[in-house]
């Protein structure tokens, strides 16, 4: 077992990702109902866009839906590609290609990126388009992978394709929903569909994010928590932060932040320690953008201090990172260093939770750099 695996076991103890584990039920009943509804609607879908998180291309797959999904025309949309390491992303694309699975890294906030996805959808439906008057595309995925963001972007593209026809497509949507055909029971009113083409009509159907009731591999559960698919309150921010630190250290990622560290030290020596690194120009009254620009500078300054703190603690550490006890010692030192970098008073109540929350926010916003946490599976030479 790797250092990460051992420390996960040590820190998390008997915690498990299943319906019976812990006080908090992380698999609410409505997810079970939604999963059943999705499964039954999948039967009539002509194509499925399975949205996954690019940072966890395997861990963000809903395993219970896989048998049905793999038997359908499916495109795996690896969303949030802006947060994923592009060099490793290439390997994932090769991997899915070698599995003969269509996959496209996307950014659901970018219209051009979603446009490419829609082109692939139309290409995959080419044969059917010639024969059927109406086609259904379903969007599925675990929570927080960006299904709604994708649907919103598709909606914008569809609105510009059919300007002035919004009312028509709205009423069609209602008719469909009234027949019960497109209604997905979920914990969120997610039974949203829209038309993206006219002849034939292609409807896109959104679905609620659903997880599996049991995640057998605890690291998969932690990665889902890191990506925000499992609520922080279920696992605890501190545990998630510990896991992130364990991954970063065993991969030696902070050692890549040497330049950031050197620059941060130089800035401190030049006396800018503690002051936010504003560009004076950004502080001039510039209509609308002033608070946002200064916030961005502030957050970027904090992110650099965090990277610098993790670089210095890891580079000075002489222990064995494969030994869970020594890795734990390093992580403890890093919590202290992070507290300083994040400017959290040691007197603050729940300082550790505050450190964890801020550290996770920086990671999730991509401020610590792009990552892919899953390892690309090694394919046997036969396959
Ligand atoms: N950086 C980045 N953030 C994204 C992207 N797509 C979505 N997000 C963000 O991810 C978060 C979750 O997005 P949603 O669209 O609500 O995810 P969802 O899959 O519909 O979530 P559920 O409703 O829980 O199933 C939001 O904060 C989005 O702004 C993306 O491509 N890049």
């Amino acid at each position: 077992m790797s250092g990460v695996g051992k420390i996960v076991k040590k820190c998390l103890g008997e915690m498990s990702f299943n319906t019976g584990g812990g006080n908090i039920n992380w698999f609410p009943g409505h997810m079970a109902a939604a999963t059943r509804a999705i499964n039954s609607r999948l039967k009539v879908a002509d194509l499925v866009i399975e949205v996954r998180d690019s940072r966890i291309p395997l861990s963000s797959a809903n395993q219970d839906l896989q048998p049905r999904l793999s038997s359908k025309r499916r495109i795996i949309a690896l969303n949030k590609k802006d947060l994923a390491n592009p060099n490793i992303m290439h390997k994932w694309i090769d991997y899915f290609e070698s599995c003969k699975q269509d996959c496209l890294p996307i950014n659901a906030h970018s219209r051009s990126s979603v446009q490419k996805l829609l082109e692939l959808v139309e290409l995959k439906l080419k044969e059917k388009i010639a024969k059927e008057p109406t086609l259904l595309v379903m969007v599925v995925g675990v929570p927080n992978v960006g299904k709604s963001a994708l649907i919103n972007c598709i909606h914008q593209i569809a609105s510009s394709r059919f300007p002035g026809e919004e009312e028509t497509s709205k009423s069609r949507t209602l008719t469909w929903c009234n027949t019960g055909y497109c209604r997905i029971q979920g914990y969120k009113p997610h039974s949203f569909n829209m038309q993206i083409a006219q002849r034939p009509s292609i409807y896109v159907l959104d679905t609620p994010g659903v997880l599996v009731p049991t995640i057998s591999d605890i690291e998969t559960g932690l990665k889902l928590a890191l990506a925000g698919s499992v609520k922080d309150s279920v696992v605890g921010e501190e545990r998630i932060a510990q896991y992130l630190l364990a991954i970063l250290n065993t991969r030696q990622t902070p050692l890549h932040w040497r330049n950031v560290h050197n620059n941060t030290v130089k800035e401190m020596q030049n006396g800018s320690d503690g002051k936010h690194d504003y560009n004076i120009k950004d502080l001039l009254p510039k209509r609308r953008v002033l608070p946002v620009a200064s916030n961005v500078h502030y957050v970027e300054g904090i992110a650099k201090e965090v990277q610098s703190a993790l670089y210095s603690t890891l580079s000075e550490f002489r222990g064995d990172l494969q030994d869970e006890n020594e890795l734990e010692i390093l992580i403890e030192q890093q919590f202290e260093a992070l507290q300083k970098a994040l400017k959290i008073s040691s007197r603050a109540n729940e300082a550790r939770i505050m450190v964890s929350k801020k550290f996770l926010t920086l990671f999730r916003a991509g401020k610590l750099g792009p990552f892919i946490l899953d390892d690309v599976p090694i394919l046997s030479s036969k396959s």
Side-chain angles (χ1 to χ4, degrees), residues 79-83 106-109 142-149 187-188 190 208-209:
N79 191 34
K80 309 196 185 186
K81 71 168 183 177
D82 51 309
L83 302 177
I106 63 161
N107 174 350
H109 291 153
V142 298
N144 206 53
V145 284
K147 297 177 296 302
S148 302
Y187 54 100
K188 220 168 135 182
H190 247 312

Side-chain angles (χ1 to χ4, degrees), residues 275-283 286 289-305 367:
K275 298 181 193 99
H276 306 323
D277 187 20
Y278 297 128
N279 182 339
I280 195 72
K281 281 191 203 141
D282 295 329
L283 299 175
K286 247 199 293 175
V289 293
L290 174 66
V292 181
S294 58
N295 279 347
V296 169
H297 280 267
Y298 177 64
V299 171
E300 278 168 8
I302 290 278
K304 282 182 189 154
E305 289 191 38
K367 298 290 174 197

Side-chain angles (χ1 to χ4, degrees), residues 58 92 95 98 375-381 383:
L58 276 193
W92 275 101
Y95 167 75
S98 62
D375 294 323
V376 186
I378 297 162
L379 288 169
S380 70
S381 50
S383 54

Side-chain angles (χ1 to χ4, degrees), residues 334-352:
Q334 288 178 325
F335 262 101
E336 278 175 32
L338 284 176
Q339 188 169 339
K340 277 192 204 135
L342 292 164
K343 307 188 183 351
I344 293 167
S345 156
S346 51
R347 289 193 300 274
N349 283 338
E350 301 186 335
R352 253 178 105 96

